[in-house]
Amino acid sequence: MAASGSGSSRADNGYSSQQPRRRKGPGALATAYLVIYNVVMTAGWLVIAVGLVRAYLAKGSYHSLYYSIEKPLKFFQTGALLEVGIVVFRIVPSSVVLTAFQVMSRVFLTWAVTHSVKEVQTEDSVLLFVVAWTITEIIRYSFYTFSLLNHLPYLIKWARYTMFIVLYPMGVSGELLTIYAALPFVRQSGLYSISLPNKYNFSFDYYTFLILVMISYIPIFPQLYFHMLHQRRKVLSHAEEQKKSE
Amino acid sequence: VEPNATVREIRSMFHKLYPRWYPARQSIKLDPKGKSLRDEEILQHLPVGTTATLYFKDLGPQIGWTTVFLIEYTGPLFIYFLFYFRMPFVYGLDERFTSSPHPVVNLACICHSFHYIKRLIETVFVHRFSHGTMPLRNIVKNCLYYWGFAAWLAYYINHPLYTPPSYGKKQINFAVIMFLLCEAGNFSIHVALSDLRRNGSKTRKIPYPTKNPFTWLFFFVSCPNYTYEVGTWISFTIMTQCVPVGLFTLLCFIQMTIWAKDKHCTYLREFKDYPSLRMPIIPFLL
């Protein structure tokens, strides 16, 4: 879902080095940790990308490629939970709520939908969002890595703030289609649902919950998308001025 | 403006010039990034020269705390009744206006209603607020929270398929006793805090334990009213053995811990001789 959103505020506050900041940046130890984290994540998503390409070449078709990258996808997407910790411990000045929300939505899709409802794993919509996530994350994590090392190539900055225009809707479509595909199987198996009566006096219908999740995309996605467009105008026009003044 | 004018007088003068911005809505500061000045401050005691520059900020439409509390608390009271009396649109037409075979459901209704009636009484007669108003949009947020949760937990407690607590009467009786003790404690603390401001002043004072045993929690905790409040909701959870009530209790606990920590920090900042044994909300722990 919100692939690049969390990064945008991080990027502006932490890493667009030209703006003077009242707070000091992360200390040496924190910077080292962040660099290692971002390098590992970049590498991880590259592994997924390579895995996808190899599987495609081997199989000759783009169907059911999920199985070839299932494990690294789960590992590295879940690893992104560390980013919530990074923001909570204020190593990076970003919104905890925004970051947590985005990571949770990714983890939710990976585990609670794709992993849990085995029947959707062969759907093409899964490939759609996996590809979108992979490209987005490779760009995003390399962006952070280079920013931390203060050697950010303009190409990466441009890619980070431009590719989302296509990748975002692509990812969202893949996610929504996958959830939609999962619905009948959830209804049939009563997955993650509990009904009355029970001694906890609680009920939960996962089917309805998934529908609510899908509906929630309607207000949330445009907000994040336009936020990124706004950031794009700010960051790229700023960079233009920098280049002109150099 | 006279040198001995108070900020309150400045605010009403400003209001006459700009009728749209009534005094409660004005934030007057000496520095654009600074804190808002209090009403009682006198102009010549402030760090200004012969001319003073004051900055105005519009706080948006305001609503009185008393009004907010009254609306917030009346909602859950009546919403619970919709579920207790099983209005037709809640559980379907077949179950309309039926009543539960379990006594604990009646008890839960009594306790829940008692809790909110007590809160309403305290709002009108006991509480003395330091700020008169809060921003208007808070009331939407707060009402959604209180009313929403009241509906959610009332739905399950009064449901035809409700299951009474696993340990039966023992569990319920224990919960009732705990409930009453915590409500009494909470009330005692509110009265004690209110007495600190008996003369109508709005300044903060350190609360101390009184002859009332319930206030002895002040030895250990800065905000025993929150401690007792969490206790009330824990007892209600035990009484009903209902997960939504438990979730509500958890959220209340988190919110009150945040408020208690804030209050505790404010006390520590303002009073050098603040008792060091006290923790914000849970004795010795939190």
Side-chain angles (χ1 to χ4, degrees):
Chain A
M1 189 171 148
S4 330
S6 91
S8 61
S9 39
R10 271 167 77 175
D12 280 351
N13 292 347
Y15 306 120
S16 55
S17 40
Q18 278 71 27
Q19 283 147 359
R21 289 179 54 230
R22 283 158 59 206
R23 278 170 62 194
K24 290 187 295 215
L29 188 65
T31 309
Y33 173 74
L34 286 173
V35 170
I36 294 173
Y37 174 77
N38 285 307
V39 165
V40 166
M41 294 303 264
T42 312
W45 286 94
L46 279 166
V47 163
I48 296 172
V50 166
L52 282 171
V53 171
R54 288 181 65 184
Y56 171 66
L57 291 173
K59 277 192 180 184
S61 92
Y62 58 82
H63 299 298
S64 304
L65 291 180
Y66 170 76
Y67 298 104
S68 49
I69 43 86
E70 182 180 358
K71 284 205 173 43
L73 176 71
K74 285 177 178 170
F75 182 78
F76 289 102
Q77 186 57 81
T78 314
L81 285 170
L82 287 171
E83 276 171 61
V84 182
I86 287 174
V87 178
V88 165
F89 292 115
R90 302 199 207 289
I91 303 177
V92 157
S94 201
S95 156
V96 176
V97 172
L98 208 58
T99 315
F101 181 75
Q102 288 174 159
V103 173
M104 287 306 165
S105 77
R106 288 284 194 89
V107 168
F108 176 78
L109 232 108
T110 308
W111 289 100
V113 179
T114 316
H115 167 79
S116 303
V117 186
K118 304 225 180 314
E119 295 87 341
V120 303
Q121 287 168 5
T122 51
E123 292 281 331
D124 289 341
S125 53
V126 173
L127 182 67
L128 198 59
F129 72 74
V130 170
V131 168
W133 289 5
T134 308
I135 302 176
T136 307
E137 298 300 69
I138 293 173
I139 297 174
R140 184 164 77 96
Y141 285 117
S142 48
F143 174 86
Y144 292 146
T145 312
F146 287 115
S147 304
L148 282 164
L149 301 172
N150 286 315
H151 282 293
L152 182 62
Y154 182 73
L155 178 67
I156 305 253
K157 185 189 254 180
W158 179 88
R160 191 219 186 307
Y161 283 101
T162 309
M163 300 297 285
F164 80 90
I165 297 179
V166 165
L167 293 174
Y168 225 4
M170 194 171 141
V172 166
S173 310
E175 293 170 25
L176 283 174
L177 285 168
T178 308
I179 299 177
Y180 185 71
L183 286 177
F185 301 107
V186 168
R187 176 49 104 220
Q188 207 180 16
S189 65
L191 182 68
Y192 300 145
S193 303
I194 182 172
S195 63
L196 291 176
N198 61 74
K199 68 176 177 180
Y200 301 111
N201 292 306
F202 180 60
S203 68
F204 182 73
D205 184 20
Y206 194 48
Y207 182 85
T208 316
F209 180 72
L210 285 177
I211 293 184
L212 289 173
V213 167
M214 287 176 72
I215 294 177
S216 72
Y217 275 69
I218 298 177
I220 295 177
F221 168 67
Q223 280 190 46
L224 292 169
Y225 195 65
F226 288 119
H227 172 70
M228 280 303 282
L229 281 172
H230 181 73
Q231 295 290 80
R232 175 171 199 263
R233 243 173 283 136
K234 250 181 34 182
V235 170
L236 291 186
S237 66
H238 200 251
E240 282 284 307
E241 286 166 28
Q242 240 80 56
K243 286 175 84 172
K244 283 195 194 118
S245 63
E246 272 163 19
Chain B
V1 183
E2 295 297 311
N4 59 357
T6 62
V7 173
R8 181 181 294 117
E9 287 164 13
I10 296 177
R11 283 205 166 106
S12 47
M13 285 167 65
F14 194 85
H15 176 46
K16 286 203 189 67
L17 281 177
Y18 300 99
R20 188 169 173 237
W21 289 319
Y22 44 86
R25 206 169 150 163
Q26 300 171 24
S27 165
I28 309 246
K29 311 180 216 193
L30 284 173
D31 172 41
K33 296 204 184 78
K35 284 183 64 168
S36 197
L37 294 174
R38 296 199 314 265
D39 271 342
E40 307 82 50
E41 310 237 27
I42 299 178
L43 197 55
Q44 63 191 21
H45 294 160
L46 295 171
V48 293
T50 44
T51 55
T53 312
L54 296 170
Y55 295 91
F56 160 77
K57 183 172 173 216
D58 179 20
L59 295 170
Q62 299 281 300
I63 184 166
W65 273 71
T66 311
T67 320
V68 171
F69 274 26
L70 288 175
I71 300 177
E72 269 176 21
Y73 298 153
T74 320
L77 189 61
F78 289 109
I79 288 175
Y80 196 98
F81 290 147
L82 292 178
F83 291 87
Y84 178 71
F85 292 115
R86 296 198 182 155
M87 293 288 127
F89 51 82
V90 174
Y91 299 112
L93 290 170
D94 293 333
E95 300 280 358
R96 64 180 188 275
F97 306 125
T98 53
S99 56
S100 172
H102 309 292
V104 69
V105 173
N106 304 325
L107 187 60
C109 182
I110 295 173
C111 289
H112 188 265
S113 310
F114 174 80
H115 180 74
Y116 281 102
I117 292 173
K118 168 182 153 294
R119 282 209 201 181
L120 285 167
I121 293 177
E122 283 171 346
T123 305
V124 174
F125 296 111
V126 178
H127 289 313
R128 293 183 213 278
F129 300 109
S130 50
H131 303 284
T133 64
M134 67 162 84
L136 192 61
R137 72 181 74 88
N138 273 15
I139 196 173
V140 177
K141 207 175 24 124
N142 289 6
C143 280
L144 243 109
Y145 174 75
Y146 278 104
W147 297 19
F149 261 108
W152 195 43
L153 56 91
Y155 174 78
Y156 286 104
I157 299 173
N158 298 295
H159 200 279
L161 294 176
Y162 172 77
T163 314
S166 309
Y167 294 100
K169 275 203 153 43
K170 271 189 294 184
Q171 187 170 336
I172 297 171
N173 293 338
F174 169 78
V176 172
I177 295 174
M178 184 177 170
F179 177 84
L180 289 171
L181 287 175
C182 290
E183 290 288 71
N186 182 262
F187 183 72
S188 310
I189 304 297
H190 284 153
V191 167
L193 289 173
S194 166
D195 282 345
L196 288 179
R197 288 189 174 156
R198 211 198 301 256
N199 52 1
S201 80
K202 287 187 179 178
T203 52
R204 231 187 296 272
K205 294 205 219 38
I206 304 180
Y208 285 108
T210 66
K211 290 205 248 329
N212 181 341
F214 286 113
T215 62
W216 295 352
L217 201 48
F218 269 121
F219 282 123
F220 304 107
V221 161
S222 294
C223 301
N225 50 325
Y226 294 145
T227 318
Y228 283 120
E229 179 76 23
V230 175
T232 303
W233 285 106
I234 291 176
S235 71
F236 195 63
T237 310
I238 296 173
M239 191 194 301
T240 55
Q241 196 167 302
C242 179
V243 163
V245 182
L247 284 172
F248 182 62
T249 306
L250 182 68
L251 286 179
C252 280
F253 174 63
I254 293 173
Q255 177 67 84
M256 288 191 205
T257 305
I258 295 174
W259 287 339
K261 280 189 185 265
D262 269 347
K263 200 89 188 280
H264 187 73
C265 284
T266 312
Y267 279 144
L268 286 174
R269 252 187 303 126
E270 277 192 30
F271 303 111
K272 297 290 171 271
D273 56 339
Y274 196 72
S276 53
L277 185 62
R278 291 191 192 180
M279 298 296 282
I281 188 172
I282 301 186
F284 309 118
L285 290 178
L286 193 56

